[in-house]
Amino acid sequence: MQHVYELDHPLAAHHLSILRDSVTPSAQFRIQVRLLSMLLAVKATEDLDLEPVAVTTPLTRMEGKKLTGTTAIVPILRAGLGLVEPVLELLPDAQVWHLGMYRDEATAMPVEYYSKLPTINPAKVGFVLDPMLATGGSVRAAVAALKRWGVPDVRVLSVIAAREGIERFHAEHPDVRVYVAAVDEELNPHKFIVPGLGDAGDRMFNTLPWNA
Ligand code: PRP
């Protein structure tokens, strides 16, 4: 698949297996999301622009480098929140804009409930964060919002994606790079990713129905 970058790294495979495991508790689940988000962010930022900067080390002066150009990270609420802090640690000057969306249980279509994206001064690079890309509807809507804002380079960071969801997403946004820890083969009749990891938002925030 073009423009799909799947992590191919022993650390990703290791941490992903713990994430998927149904007995992994919420606290550990959040840690796994955090670790995988950092691995994704490293890969998704490897071509960001740099400019020279003067650095004085304890021994001498030298020319170092610093990031240049505005970046925005855009988590899709709720589950995308789990990716914000780790990505922000690597991109501390990034803007953070939130998009609220939930997937209607009957139709599996995204329903937007919060958006405060500005209409001026688009970031140069925008990263949409969501741990799950199932049908791709939520990410499709989020990317469309960033494009309306005027972001010329939009990238998606997702922990697990379904192959058919990526294909549907790319049918609409073929230019957008998708960074994932794993591409799973199936969606079940309820549009859940299989093997997947269940509901990322519920597992992250300890709101599984049987805990209520
Ligand atoms: C989940 C997930 C994605 C979306 C993926 O969110 O976090 O946002 O569904 O599905 P899609 O690719 O078919 O659109 P959910 O609706 O469970 O909301 P939550 O983040 O509040 O848990």
Side-chain angles (χ1 to χ4, degrees):
M1 284 188 286
Q2 219 199 346
H3 284 160
V4 179
Y5 302 86
E6 189 174 354
L7 294 181
D8 178 18
H9 196 288
L11 293 178
H14 176 85
H15 290 295
L16 193 54
S17 297
I18 299 170
L19 184 79
R20 288 183 188 274
D21 195 328
S22 62
V23 301
T24 298
S26 286
Q28 188 66 41
F29 190 90
R30 290 191 290 272
I31 292 170
Q32 301 311 119
V33 169
R34 176 181 185 80
L35 297 170
L36 289 160
S37 302
M38 286 188 138
L39 294 173
L40 285 168
V42 167
K43 196 163 181 69
T45 53
E46 61 190 11
D47 61 344
L48 288 189
D49 291 335
L50 295 166
E51 64 182 15
V53 62
V55 178
T56 307
T57 77
L59 300 176
T60 186
R61 288 167 180 238
M62 63 167 286
E63 187 182 284
K65 291 180 175 26
K66 67 171 185 176
L67 290 167
T68 179
T70 49
T71 49
I73 64 179
V74 183
I76 302 179
L77 305 176
R78 296 172 294 173
L81 288 174
L83 289 76
V84 173
E85 285 302 323
V87 176
L88 204 48
E89 279 180 29
L90 292 168
L91 290 174
D93 296 326
Q95 304 170 5
V96 185
W97 299 98
H98 298 84
L99 287 176
M101 274 179 223
Y102 69 88
R103 206 173 70 155
D104 182 277
E105 280 183 15
T107 64
M109 295 298 290
V111 180
E112 187 179 295
Y113 60 88
Y114 182 87
S115 175
K116 290 281 182 188
L117 280 180
T119 52
I120 56 166
N121 298 332
K124 192 170 171 223
V125 187
F127 299 94
V128 172
L129 310 181
D130 195 326
M132 312 285 287
L133 190 163
T135 66
S138 305
V139 163
R140 264 195 340 261
V143 167
L146 265 73
K147 286 185 172 178
R148 281 196 299 276
W149 179 23
V151 179
D153 182 347
V154 183
R155 307 176 187 192
V156 172
L157 272 64
S158 189
V159 177
I160 294 189
R163 185 175 296 277
E164 76 173 69
I166 297 179
E167 285 168 358
R168 229 184 280 173
F169 170 75
H170 270 151
E172 208 167 303
H173 301 290
D175 55 311
V176 172
R177 298 186 230 173
V178 176
Y179 295 87
V180 288
V183 178
D184 282 6
E185 288 306 320
E186 274 187 70
L187 285 178
N188 73 11
H190 302 290
K191 305 295 183 195
F192 269 80
I193 302 172
V194 180
L197 49 72
D199 185 311
D202 281 337
R203 294 195 64 186
M204 192 178 293
F205 296 115
N206 202 18
T207 54
L208 289 161
W210 46 90
N211 289 344

